[in-house]
Amino acid sequence: MALVSAKEMLQKAEAGHYAVAQFNINNLEWTKSILLECEELKAPVILGVSEGAGKYMTGFKTVAAMVKAMVESLGITVPVALHLDHGSYEGAKACIEAGFSSIMFDGSSLPIDENIAKTKELIAACEKLGISLEAEVGGIGGEEDGVISTGECADPAECKAVNDLGPTMLACGIGNIHGKYPANWKGLQFQVLENIRAVTGNTPLVLHGGSGIPDEQIKKAISMGVAKVNVNTECQLVFAAATRKYIEEGKDQQGKGYDPRKLLAPGAQAIRDEVRNRLEVFGSIGKAE
């Protein structure tokens, strides 16, 4: 099955009041685990790749070729989109050329006029190729590829200006954070989300920093128009914990327990378990068509 645009996935999710999961990837083991679990649960999935992860995996063209080959070799039948996460203007253009089926241009740190101008140009380029485009307004807190933000809330008027350009989906800051959430986090700002929803119509909204947000808040956000939730940190944490346990129990010193295939297996299974957990919360199990 070929990679697909995220557009139809998210339109169905928005109408059905569930969310498509975006799981970020950075190696073969993670990608395989995510794809196999989503196939078993018949859930559509978006594989996110940040610019840093793309470089780590030796470039966007390598990532696209790897994912396409894995989808084919594993016999994956559920819809799969390969998505640039928090892309720069140059990164977005490179991923369009590399064969990604979905692009995020993060112009949230730019003056709004510049964000609008570059988003408009990239939307036009993506529409010609049937690629989905995610735009962003309002920075997401925490750190992503060296970009640090305090997690400010987006201005609804700016959201409307960017949304009027016709992006496939819109990511808006509503107090969400990348990485672990601090103890003093105030939670998602639902009044801001309601104000944004009022001026963006039925455009599917995106919740970044989905790892660590209480499930009840995620479900409420989905009921208010969020159709994609991004997950990265939770997979990293469970992978690290499972690998640590394997080593602390000395299993890497038993027989050929040091073999990377055995060493990484507990972490890979932990990712599959966490993927299942998140899909249950997002309501997307059995939604693949």
Side-chain angles (χ1 to χ4, degrees):
M1 182 177 181
L3 298 175
V4 301
S5 164
K7 184 175 183 177
E8 187 175 353
M9 282 192 217
L10 297 185
Q11 288 175 334
K12 290 180 178 179
E14 190 274 333
H17 299 292
Y18 63 90
V20 175
Q22 175 182 309
F23 295 105
N24 280 25
I25 60 172
N26 53 38
N27 61 56
L28 286 167
E29 204 70 36
W30 284 42
T31 309
K32 180 180 178 181
S33 299
I34 292 165
L35 287 173
L36 288 175
E37 193 64 22
C38 289
E39 177 66 22
E40 181 174 323
L41 298 176
K42 298 304 176 188
V45 65
I46 296 171
L47 302 178
V49 180
S50 68
E51 292 203 35
K55 293 176 182 177
Y56 174 72
M57 292 188 282
T58 68
F60 295 130
K61 290 184 178 180
T62 299
V63 175
M66 175 197 79
V67 171
K68 290 174 182 177
M70 189 170 286
V71 166
E72 182 178 351
S73 64
L74 294 176
I76 303 300
T77 63
V78 300
V80 179
L82 179 59
H83 179 78
L84 172 65
D85 190 39
H86 287 284
S88 65
Y89 174 72
E90 293 76 15
K93 292 196 294 185
C95 285
I96 291 172
E97 182 181 346
F100 279 47
S101 63
S102 183
I103 305 296
M104 176 188 182
F105 168 57
D106 184 358
S108 62
S109 63
L110 303 174
I112 187 61
D113 289 346
E114 186 176 352
N115 187 358
I116 288 173
K118 289 186 174 180
T119 299
K120 182 177 181 180
E121 178 186 337
L122 290 169
I123 287 174
C126 287
E127 285 180 344
K128 291 180 181 178
L129 298 172
I131 299 172
S132 54
L133 188 288
E134 177 181 343
E136 180 169 341
V137 182
I140 309 303
E143 181 176 347
E144 180 76 10
D145 280 352
V147 178
I148 299 174
S149 171
T150 57
E152 69 267 19
C153 290
D155 180 345
E158 293 184 354
C159 292
K160 183 180 187 305
V162 173
N163 186 68
D164 286 348
L165 302 173
T168 307
M169 49 194 148
L170 186 64
C172 308
I174 55 172
N176 36 328
I177 294 173
H178 286 125
K180 292 183 178 181
Y181 281 76
N184 63 348
W185 180 58
K186 296 180 180 179
L188 296 178
Q189 302 301 297
F190 290 108
Q191 185 59 57
V192 175
L193 178 56
E194 184 176 332
N195 295 341
I196 291 170
R197 184 64 168 166
V199 297
T200 56
N202 292 327
T203 299
L205 302 178
V206 180
L207 181 62
H208 284 251
S211 298
I213 297 175
D215 291 350
E216 63 271 17
Q217 292 193 30
I218 290 178
K219 291 178 180 179
K220 183 174 181 179
I222 291 171
S223 74
M224 296 174 67
V226 166
K228 176 163 83 81
V229 181
N230 290 15
V231 176
N232 185 29
T233 302
E234 281 170 333
C235 288
Q236 292 176 332
L237 290 173
V238 298
F239 182 88
T243 305
R244 184 183 307 112
K245 183 174 183 291
Y246 180 87
I247 293 174
E248 287 178 346
E249 291 177 349
K251 292 181 179 179
D252 60 316
Q253 298 178 29
Q254 299 173 12
K256 294 192 69 175
Y258 54 81
D259 186 318
R261 290 169 293 184
K262 294 182 178 181
L263 181 64
L264 297 176
Q269 183 58 52
I271 288 176
R272 291 192 63 164
D273 293 342
E274 188 58 30
V275 166
R276 177 181 293 264
N277 177 292
R278 293 298 87 199
L279 294 178
E280 288 176 348
V281 173
F282 302 164
S284 57
I285 292 176
K287 300 296 185 180
E289 295 182 9

